[in-house]
Amino acid sequence: MTNISDIVLIAHRGLFKGPSKELENNPDNIIFNIKNFPKIINEIDINILKNGIYTGHDHPQYEIDIDFILENVNHLILHIKKIEYNSSFALEALCKLYKFCHCFSHEEDCFTITNKGFIWSHPRMGFRRNTIFVMPEKVIPLSSDEFINNLNLLKGVCTNFPLEILQILNKDHIDFSI
């Protein structure tokens, strides 16, 4: 079995069992995840507008308070999707999030670097040593030998299926049961 005890597991948009428009970036789902799976980090999409902070991928969907983020800072990676630069509230919120939170922003880049030093790699880049492999399920079956045997190259994995990865690897030294 592959030893991945140091691998960072990240739930893409806070999803654990596959894509779900109802659960992605949903603050109630994020709270559930943090309480029940505290060792898995939740990547959430953040929109900082002149009138507040919202989660949501394609558009601002759920309004959240900055205190929600700061209270859960150790369980989150923020993907800054949109910011209204003409708003002093938005710019001040961005500075506060950057100072206290793990965050990044990107479009279709091959990679970006988070403010905490993670190299966040686009799925098309495949396995790259010491990177966060984002959405590997788009390019390789998670149960494949190639995926399992190359996990030790990575810093981490950001996926819609972190529970499947845990099951595949039989990480029985950590209790992920509900």
Side-chain angles (χ1 to χ4, degrees):
M1 178 160 78
T2 305
N3 179 4
I4 63 156
S5 59
D6 294 332
I7 272 210
V8 178
L9 268 180
I10 304 163
H12 181 247
R13 300 182 192 161
L15 298 171
F16 276 62
K17 297 179 181 179
S20 169
K21 289 292 183 190
E22 292 148 14
L23 294 177
E24 73 178 26
N25 294 301
N26 182 320
D28 292 332
N29 185 53
I30 301 303
I31 291 168
F32 175 86
N33 294 347
I34 291 168
K35 286 180 181 175
N36 292 286
F37 304 97
K39 297 197 184 268
I40 296 178
I41 297 170
N42 292 268
E43 177 266 347
I44 58 174
D45 298 320
I46 298 291
N47 300 273
I48 310 170
L49 308 181
K50 64 184 172 193
N51 62 340
I53 300 172
Y54 298 79
T55 63
H57 182 264
D58 297 322
H59 60 277
Q61 191 170 2
Y62 302 101
E63 186 171 12
I64 58 172
D65 191 276
I66 197 165
D67 291 335
F68 169 83
I69 297 171
L70 296 175
E71 289 166 7
N72 296 293
V73 72
N74 293 326
H75 303 281
L76 301 174
I77 294 179
L78 310 178
H79 180 178
I80 309 298
K81 298 290 285 186
K82 179 179 182 180
I83 182 166
E84 290 185 343
Y85 291 103
N86 59 349
S87 161
S88 60
F89 167 81
L91 291 175
E92 288 172 19
L94 177 64
C95 288
K96 193 170 193 176
L97 293 176
Y98 183 83
K99 181 177 181 179
F100 294 108
C101 303
H102 194 167
C103 53
F104 70 96
S105 184
H106 77 108
E107 290 295 326
E108 289 295 318
D109 310 306
C110 292
F111 72 92
T112 191
I113 300 173
T114 72
N115 66 328
K116 304 289 184 194
F118 286 11
I119 301 170
W120 202 261
S121 184
H122 193 282
R124 71 176 171 265
M125 300 309 296
F127 287 97
R128 295 288 185 257
R129 185 172 299 283
N130 297 320
T131 65
I132 303 295
F133 191 164
V134 178
M135 304 291 290
E137 61 268 22
K138 286 186 165 190
V139 295
I140 188 170
L142 298 180
S143 59
S144 71
D145 287 341
E146 180 184 359
F147 179 75
I148 294 167
N149 293 333
N150 284 296
L151 275 173
N152 61 338
L153 296 175
L154 303 173
K155 172 75 175 174
V157 177
C158 179
T159 176
N160 286 332
F161 300 95
L163 294 182
E164 183 177 334
I165 292 174
L166 288 172
Q167 184 178 12
I168 289 167
L169 297 171
N170 191 21
K171 285 189 68 163
D172 55 4
H173 62 282
I174 300 173
D175 182 11
F176 286 97
S177 60
I178 295 177

